[in-house]
Amino acid sequence: MLDKHLPEDLRKRVKVSGFDAAAAAGRQSERGRFAAIILDAPCSSERHVIQNKAAMEKWTPARPKFLARRQWSLLSAAFLLLKNGGSLVYVTCSINAEENDGVTVKLLQKYRETGTCILDRPDFSLGEETQYGRIVLPDTTAGCGPLYVARFKKAEANKN
């Protein structure tokens, strides 16, 4: 897919990997390994659920809560794997605030004292601002979305 959308010189600089991020983040040797990470987190994907009868029958109010916990685990792990000065983009296809800004604020709160997690708002104009990111909703974007995006930078820890 990347070969189709990225020029060859840029594609050579992009590495796609699949591994257990939580396990990797637990190893000190893996921390600070990546300059940039895009986390496309598993989410409740409401648009797809309402279009699929079987998925709709399985849906429960507990599903978004479970997914938000899983997303938090993945986002926290991704942040640990990020180099100082690196950029982390968190993405879902959910409209649920608990899965979007709710997960984002947890990361900001966890690293507030060290000053290492800096919110770096996405700079595209599609969709609308949320408290911590942007959300693209189908009713305002000719059917695109939903898509939530939050972006962070990792700074050196405060030395107090």
Side-chain angles (χ1 to χ4, degrees), residues 32-160:
R33 182 175 162 199
F34 297 96
I37 298 172
I38 299 173
L39 173 58
D40 182 5
C43 64
S44 56
S45 186
E46 297 89 353
R47 183 175 186 170
H48 302 292
V49 170
I50 64 173
Q51 293 175 340
N52 180 312
K53 185 178 181 191
M56 190 67 180
E57 288 172 357
K58 292 178 188 174
W59 189 90
T60 71
R63 181 172 162 75
K65 292 179 186 329
F66 165 79
L67 286 164
R69 286 191 302 273
R70 185 170 179 203
Q71 292 156 348
W72 162 242
S73 175
L74 292 168
L75 184 60
S76 182
F79 190 75
L80 292 173
L81 295 171
L82 196 62
K83 288 180 180 180
N84 288 340
S87 182
L88 170 59
V89 176
Y90 172 67
V91 182
T92 76
C93 57
S94 176
I95 60 171
N96 189 308
E98 187 174 5
E99 295 179 62
N100 297 336
D101 276 355
V103 174
T104 297
V105 72
K106 284 177 96 171
L107 188 71
L108 293 167
Q109 289 171 342
K110 180 170 183 171
Y111 295 99
R112 178 180 292 145
E113 284 186 26
T114 63
T116 56
C117 186
I118 301 165
L119 186 65
D120 184 25
R121 285 196 172 276
D123 56 3
F124 59 87
S125 60
L126 192 61
E128 56 196 69
E129 271 193 16
T130 65
Q131 189 170 359
Y132 300 103
R134 292 195 72 81
I135 192 161
V136 176
L137 297 170
D139 64 328
T140 60
T141 56
C144 295
L147 174 74
Y148 172 82
V149 180
R151 185 172 61 190
F152 310 91
K153 290 276 187 195
K154 187 172 189 178
E156 296 271 350
N158 292 336
K159 298 192 169 93
N160 295 331

Side-chain angles (χ1 to χ4, degrees), residues 10-25:
L10 193 56
R11 175 62 182 104
K12 288 178 183 178
R13 296 176 21 206
V14 175
K15 180 180 179 189
V16 177
S17 56
F19 55 87
D20 183 339

Side-chain angles (χ1 to χ4, degrees), residues 1-8 10-11 14 16 40:
M1 180 66 113
L2 290 177
D3 293 335
K4 182 178 175 183
H5 297 285
L6 291 177
E8 187 177 342
L10 193 56
R11 175 62 182 104
V14 175
V16 177
D40 182 5

